[in-house]
Amino acid sequence: MTTQLLSTTGYDLERAAELIKKGGLVAIPTETVYGLGANGLDPEAVGKIFLAKGRPQDNPLILHIHDASQLYDFCREVPQTAVLLAERFWPGPLTMILPVRDTVPKTTTAGLDTVGVRCPDNAATREIIRLAGVPIAAPSANTSGKPSTTTAAHVLHDMEGKIDAVVDGGPCRVGVESTIVDLTGPVPRLLRPGGIGPEELERLLGALVIDRAVTGEIRADAVVRAPGMKYKHYAPEAEVLIVEGSSEAAARYIRSRFAPGDAVLCFTEELDLFAGLNPTAYGCALDPGSLSAGLFAALRALDNGTVQRIFARCPTGGGVSAAVRNRLQKSAAYRTIDAEQVKSEK
Ligand code: TXA
Ligand code: MG
């Protein structure tokens, strides 16, 4: 099939909505990453998402709605915490896990009795959802296992010929996926750090449990609450190694090991320290929002067939830095070196 490139102007939004209504696949811009959308209430359409991405069937999808009032159409219970979170953070990069109503097909939820719901902060996409008259089920619009897509060009790279259309809304502002909070247990639980920092959630909720999936590696056969967390993620072809410690210690460590086929992914402030190694900066350490916005594009740029190993610098701290760290750790399969602890070799 030919993949149409649509704009965010009125007529194109109607075309996008028509395609969704007809059971097609349309990639949609959001503030986090591009989503690979289909009618979330149509099991056949949703099935096509899994095929296009090569996504395992047991990995549930997020339902995107255009207004918080739609929560009641798809969720059996909407606790007060969900209302509070929606008022504070929607439209925005927050996904809530809630008990699902039987209006939502099992293909969308991968058979779980819960559903992830999010109202994205992108007016064009909310308008498509409204015009389509159905919630849009959408995972990130990348080939399964690869870095998420933050431009329409990334989407075409992975999905051209496999989907009906992509709506070009420009580069995504946040650049990493939404924060996921599970509200089905006694205490809210963070399943994935994202555009909204854990501290902000905790401040509003009073208490927040951080799931194991966020902090450490989960074995492939483990029972996990966010089924997607156990799969390989954000992985470029090259092996990623996170190098922690001061800029100077990291530069010493990397310089002493740098070989042909290696690449450096660093902060803009560090470009001079890595001069001669052809470093790629993904954003400023002093501006964590620039790091989240630039991470996936940089990982994709380094996926050029010549890079075998990436030495990556990773931010410390909370807020969106926690999400950047989480994505980098996953792309590195948790391989991390503390350069301060290593004697430099000659
Ligand atoms: O920012 C985002 O959330 C983007 C944009 C497109 O909205 N979407 C996104 O979707 O990142 P995806 O499918 O790539 O990641 C969704 C994650 C997966 O790890 C999935 O397992 C988890 O959410 N998830 C979905 N429904 C769930 C549920 N009912 N319970 C637990 N985890 C769920
Ligand atoms: Mg994804």
Side-chain angles (χ1 to χ4, degrees):
M1 79 174 66
T2 331
T3 302
Q4 301 174 53
L5 187 59
L6 300 177
S7 73
T8 52
T9 57
Y11 177 63
D12 274 10
L13 298 186
E14 277 165 36
R15 279 167 67 188
E18 279 308 314
L19 286 167
I20 294 283
K21 276 198 269 189
K22 281 196 299 206
L25 293 186
V26 179
I28 48 173
T30 83
E31 78 283 29
T32 59
V33 299
Y34 275 76
L36 182 50
N39 176 354
L41 304 183
D42 175 351
E44 213 177 296
V46 168
K48 293 185 203 164
I49 294 178
F50 289 88
L51 281 180
K53 273 192 68 124
R55 181 178 175 106
Q57 301 277 345
D58 68 347
N59 196 356
L61 306 177
I62 294 172
L63 271 190
H64 295 72
I65 58 179
H66 68 84
D67 188 274
S69 61
Q70 287 188 290
L71 267 176
Y72 300 89
D73 299 339
F74 311 115
C75 303
R76 214 168 51 236
E77 291 156 40
V78 179
Q80 193 52 32
T81 46
V83 176
L84 274 175
L85 287 171
E87 275 173 4
R88 173 76 181 78
F89 296 115
W90 277 0
L94 179 74
T95 296
M96 300 193 242
I97 308 292
L98 292 165
V100 68
R101 260 187 202 282
D102 55 14
T103 44
V104 183
K106 296 234 172 293
T107 325
T108 301
T109 61
L112 297 180
D113 57 8
T114 59
V115 62
V117 187
R118 171 164 120 80
C119 180
D121 187 15
N122 183 295
T125 283
R126 284 202 309 278
E127 181 62 5
I128 296 171
I129 301 168
R130 199 187 63 78
L131 289 169
V134 291
I136 294 187
S140 49
N142 52 281
T143 303
S144 211
K146 290 287 149 199
S148 300
T149 50
T150 53
T151 65
H154 294 162
V155 176
L156 287 173
H157 177 273
D158 283 19
M159 294 295 159
E160 179 134 48
K162 295 182 179 174
I163 64 177
D164 295 283
V166 51
V167 177
D168 187 351
C172 300
R173 174 172 59 80
V174 177
V176 292
E177 303 86 341
S178 61
T179 303
I180 304 183
V181 60
D182 181 351
L183 298 176
T184 61
V187 182
R189 178 180 284 266
L190 181 74
L191 299 186
R192 180 174 74 182
I196 302 207
E199 311 80 7
E200 265 185 282
L201 284 182
E202 203 166 7
R203 216 173 300 135
L204 192 83
L205 294 170
L208 180 70
V209 176
I210 313 288
D211 197 78
R212 252 171 359 111
V214 176
T215 47
E217 193 169 6
I218 295 238
R219 290 192 13 224
D221 57 353
V223 178
V224 281
R225 282 171 212 264
M229 292 303 173
K230 69 184 179 212
Y231 295 110
K232 189 170 146 191
H233 258 97
Y234 319 114
E237 293 303 326
E239 178 182 306
V240 180
L241 176 68
I242 295 174
V243 184
E244 288 179 340
S246 69
S247 299
E248 291 71 23
R252 265 196 310 277
Y253 176 87
I254 294 169
R255 282 193 181 279
S256 69
R257 283 164 180 76
F258 196 86
D262 286 349
V264 178
L265 181 64
C266 65
F267 311 130
T268 308
E269 293 93 332
E270 297 177 328
L271 282 171
D272 283 348
L273 272 173
F274 292 108
L277 305 185
N278 191 24
T280 301
Y282 63 107
C284 298
L286 287 174
D287 176 12
S290 70
L291 295 173
S292 65
L295 178 66
F296 288 138
L299 284 174
R300 282 180 169 263
L302 290 173
D303 226 355
N304 57 11
T306 65
V307 176
Q308 271 125 47
R309 182 168 60 166
I310 301 170
F311 293 108
R313 297 284 292 147
C314 182
T316 53
V320 79
S321 293
V324 171
R325 197 158 57 245
N326 171 266
R327 306 306 190 273
L328 262 178
Q329 283 172 334
K330 284 180 184 291
S331 73
Y334 292 90
R335 285 181 295 261
T336 304
I337 278 284
D338 183 353
E340 310 270 355
Q341 304 296 322
V342 182
K343 294 255 176 296
S344 78
E345 291 160 14
K346 280 275 149 285

